[in-house]
Amino acid sequence: MLVDVHAHFYHERTGRADWRERNESRLTAGDRIGIDWHVASILSSWGHTSPTYFPSAADLSVANQQLRLLAAEHPTRIKGYVAVNPNFPAHALEEIARGAEAGMIGVKLAASRRADDPLLDPVCEVARDFGLPVLHHVWQHRRHEWPGQEASDGVELCRLAARHPQVNFLLAHLGGGGDWLHTLRAARTHGNVYLDLSGSGVDGGMLDAALSAVGAERLLWGADVTLCTGLAKLRYLERLLPSPEFDLVRGGNAARLFPRGAFP
Amino acid sequence: MIDVNVFLGPYPWRQLPGTSPEEVLGAMDRTGIGTAWVSHLPSLFWKDPVAGNGWLFDTVARHPRFWAVAVVHPGMPHWEEDLAEALNRGAVAIRADPGLLGLAPAGPEMLRLARAAGAAGLPLLAAVRLEDSRGRHPLDLAPELAPWAVRAWLRHDSSLRVVVTHADRGFIEEVHYGSTTEESERVWWDLSWVWDPPEDHLAHLLATLGSARFLFGSGQPLRLPETPVARLDLLSLGPADRERIVSGNAAQLATRRSGAT
């Protein structure tokens, strides 16, 4: 089984005239790669009616609903994360409950609030209650503030993970920009932090170093918005790893991490 | 397959595995790459980068699957001799990365080199970047190559041919549509930084610019050589177009350099 733990889709209110083409392109490429499940989020309006990383509650509700519709349209291919903004705590908790009851299998936190901020605690508590893992957007080694987002790095996410040992966290896109060496040092001692390998980065030595840092048991394959780099990493790992460990990264770890029966 | 974007030797900004000639050949075998245009990676950062060319020529002489891309620094005294040596020792191209050399990208030194490379029939190769700017070492502050510099080189000498690696769709289109047809037909782009699904930048560029403008390039060992192969495998590309990209265009560039046809 091959699971892309970091996928995204669009909908008609994301401001892109080609939103259907992009969704279809992901699914078509996924079929070529052999992806069984796209575990996806929609980042609210993708900046169309509120900022991508600081989304309004209304935009999040629309996006989560659109993702549920998409999952219903592709019941054997797409699963959803509930995307929330912790600056709106009551809305976030309601959205997670609504999503979990409708079959969504994880929580997506982007970059609206630093990962170690106390406002994220109630979100993690409700994720724990529903048995959902939390995928958190990470800038690998944030040396300073970046425009457009309140980015967090691995150290900050690991602080949150230490406060919530019963919740599993997906540290997003190790190849998604920044210094992954810093992240690997941060994550190696936190057993409830899993590394999602997605992102456009295909740096030589990155996958080898990730394996050394946390082992195959805590690596998750994903693509994010560049499926070509996802396929490249998959092919490299296939040569690098014995078959049982490769199967863990392809989907075995995901099957363990997400709610039981998430991938029938 | 011919990979036009390959480095040998260690990288100054982090520990990088797989940089020896033998390890790069192993990676080429793993991914089905037959021939590589190789640069000596450390010398890109040296004050006098030409000091690495001797090692490069000797290495290429020992490994016929490697073709040398020699560095020429047009800000150094007697750089013309370095260009002549590159020509005499069979370099497939020369490279000058103005950001790493500390030169104005379209200043007098680079323009002199553009003219000389054109006259010598040697393609001029330059990288937009070597790494994602978000992940670079804090002291690695060399500016990325800008599209206007490539346009200036192309305009300065009508016989110059340019190979640009690590360019994304925006960069490529800015040069292509900012140049005359004659100028844009003298520049080639590698695949190392052009994204595929779901944004489909590569498919779009192949549909609009055509396969004649593209070369197979990976940036290995700084980047996984599996990437451009994966990129091509996700396209609906006919065999003739694929052949042009993976080897035909590069072979033609090399052949024209040697004057065989």
Side-chain angles (χ1 to χ4, degrees):
Chain A
M1 179 174 70
L2 182 60
V3 179
D4 181 351
V5 301
H6 195 139
H8 292 294
F9 288 101
Y10 301 89
H11 60 76
E12 61 184 342
R13 289 165 63 179
T14 50
R16 290 187 68 148
D18 63 349
W19 66 274
R20 281 194 183 86
E21 290 171 68
R22 300 285 71 81
N23 288 354
E24 190 55 39
S25 177
R26 175 175 291 278
L27 292 171
T28 301
D31 289 346
R32 286 190 179 183
I33 294 169
I35 296 172
D36 294 293
W37 292 99
H38 302 261
V39 189
S41 60
I42 298 179
L43 296 184
S44 66
S45 69
W46 285 96
H48 186 52
T49 48
S50 60
T52 301
Y53 292 111
F54 300 103
S56 70
D59 282 348
L60 284 163
S61 293
V62 169
N64 290 328
Q65 174 62 12
Q66 289 295 324
L67 185 53
R68 287 191 285 272
L69 292 173
L70 201 57
E73 194 181 328
H74 300 278
T76 59
R77 290 209 275 184
I78 297 175
K79 294 284 182 174
Y81 291 101
V82 188
V84 297
N85 180 342
N87 291 302
F88 312 120
H91 177 264
L93 303 188
E94 289 166 12
E95 277 296 307
I96 293 170
R98 185 178 301 117
E101 285 158 11
M104 299 177 95
I105 63 171
V107 174
K108 168 72 186 216
L109 287 166
S112 313
R113 193 94 183 181
R114 202 79 76 209
D116 55 358
D117 191 286
L119 267 185
L120 273 69
D121 289 330
V123 171
C124 294
E125 285 161 12
V126 75
R128 178 202 60 204
D129 294 345
F130 283 105
L132 304 179
V134 175
L135 170 61
H136 201 295
H137 175 85
V138 164
W139 190 289
Q140 319 304 329
H141 197 184
R142 180 183 56 77
R143 291 194 177 94
H144 52 79
E145 294 290 347
W146 291 90
Q149 54 181 297
E150 188 169 314
S152 304
D153 68 15
V155 169
E156 289 153 345
L157 179 60
C158 287
R159 283 194 201 113
L160 180 69
R163 296 207 300 266
H164 299 276
Q166 293 176 285
V167 179
N168 287 316
F169 293 85
L170 290 80
L171 188 155
H173 37 58
L174 190 68
D179 179 8
W180 42 265
L181 284 165
H182 177 269
T183 298
L184 297 182
R185 277 183 175 251
R188 64 188 179 197
T189 54
H190 293 267
N192 59 335
V193 175
Y194 291 70
L195 305 181
D196 136 18
L197 299 175
S198 70
S200 61
V202 284
D203 291 354
M206 179 178 74
L207 298 177
D208 315 65
L211 276 164
S212 296
V214 304
E217 296 76 14
R218 284 206 281 140
L219 297 183
L220 302 160
W221 183 79
D224 199 356
V225 292
T226 50
L227 282 149
C228 49
T229 58
L231 177 56
K233 284 178 256 194
L234 196 64
R235 287 176 173 174
Y236 183 77
L237 287 168
E238 187 171 18
R239 296 290 192 109
L240 188 66
L241 291 173
S243 182
E245 293 186 12
F246 183 52
D247 288 343
L248 289 177
V249 180
R250 283 175 56 93
N253 292 333
R256 197 173 73 245
L257 197 62
F258 288 96
R260 189 187 302 265
F263 309 117
Chain B
M1 289 196 287
I2 301 174
D3 187 342
V4 302
N5 183 5
V6 178
F7 299 98
L8 301 174
Y11 188 53
W13 300 113
R14 70 177 172 92
Q15 186 183 40
L16 178 65
T19 63
S20 71
E22 292 72 22
E23 288 169 312
V24 170
L25 286 167
M28 290 165 61
D29 289 340
R30 188 179 80 221
T31 45
I33 296 167
T35 303
W37 294 17
V38 293
S39 301
H40 180 236
L41 185 55
S43 63
L44 268 61
F45 302 89
W46 290 351
K47 292 177 186 173
D48 182 358
V50 175
N53 285 348
W55 181 89
L56 181 68
F57 292 133
D58 291 346
T59 301
V60 166
R62 283 198 308 278
H63 300 286
R65 292 169 67 190
F66 290 151
W67 293 9
V69 178
V71 185
V72 176
H73 187 330
M76 297 294 281
H78 309 299
W79 62 269
E80 298 91 341
E81 294 170 13
D82 303 324
L83 177 66
E85 187 186 20
L87 195 61
N88 291 337
R89 297 199 64 175
V92 69
I94 56 163
R95 72 177 303 143
D97 301 283
L100 296 174
L101 299 176
L103 295 175
E109 296 94 346
M110 285 302 297
L111 293 181
R112 276 199 293 272
L113 179 62
R115 180 145 293 171
L122 276 171
L124 172 61
L125 185 147
V128 174
R129 54 178 71 84
L130 298 180
E131 280 194 284
D132 185 324
S133 61
R134 299 169 297 181
R136 290 166 67 176
H137 191 284
L139 295 179
D140 179 9
L141 301 172
E144 294 189 348
L145 183 64
W148 53 262
V150 178
R151 295 199 302 269
W153 302 345
L154 291 166
R155 292 173 194 182
H156 188 67
D157 187 89
S158 61
S159 59
L160 176 69
R161 290 169 296 142
V162 179
V163 174
V164 181
T165 64
H166 306 82
D168 62 15
R169 174 185 165 180
F171 190 115
I172 293 169
E173 290 184 325
E174 193 176 322
V175 173
H176 185 83
Y177 296 114
S179 304
T180 65
T181 302
E182 186 278 327
E183 288 162 350
S184 64
E185 286 177 350
R186 290 187 285 110
V187 60
W188 286 260
W189 310 97
D190 90 333
L191 304 182
S192 64
W193 217 274
V194 188
W195 315 130
D196 252 1
E199 294 299 327
D200 296 314
H201 289 177
L202 182 56
H204 175 80
L205 288 172
L206 289 170
T208 51
L209 274 61
S211 58
R213 302 266 56 80
F214 291 92
L215 305 170
F216 181 92
S218 68
Q220 66 167 311
L222 280 163
R223 296 170 70 76
L224 294 181
E226 280 81 358
T227 310
V229 185
R231 219 154 257 166
L232 291 172
D233 288 348
L234 290 176
L235 291 171
S236 299
L237 201 60
D241 284 325
R242 186 171 177 122
E243 190 280 331
R244 272 187 211 108
I245 295 166
V246 300
S247 62
N249 295 335
Q252 194 174 19
L253 261 173
T255 304
R256 285 171 61 190
R257 188 209 67 75
S258 69
T261 57

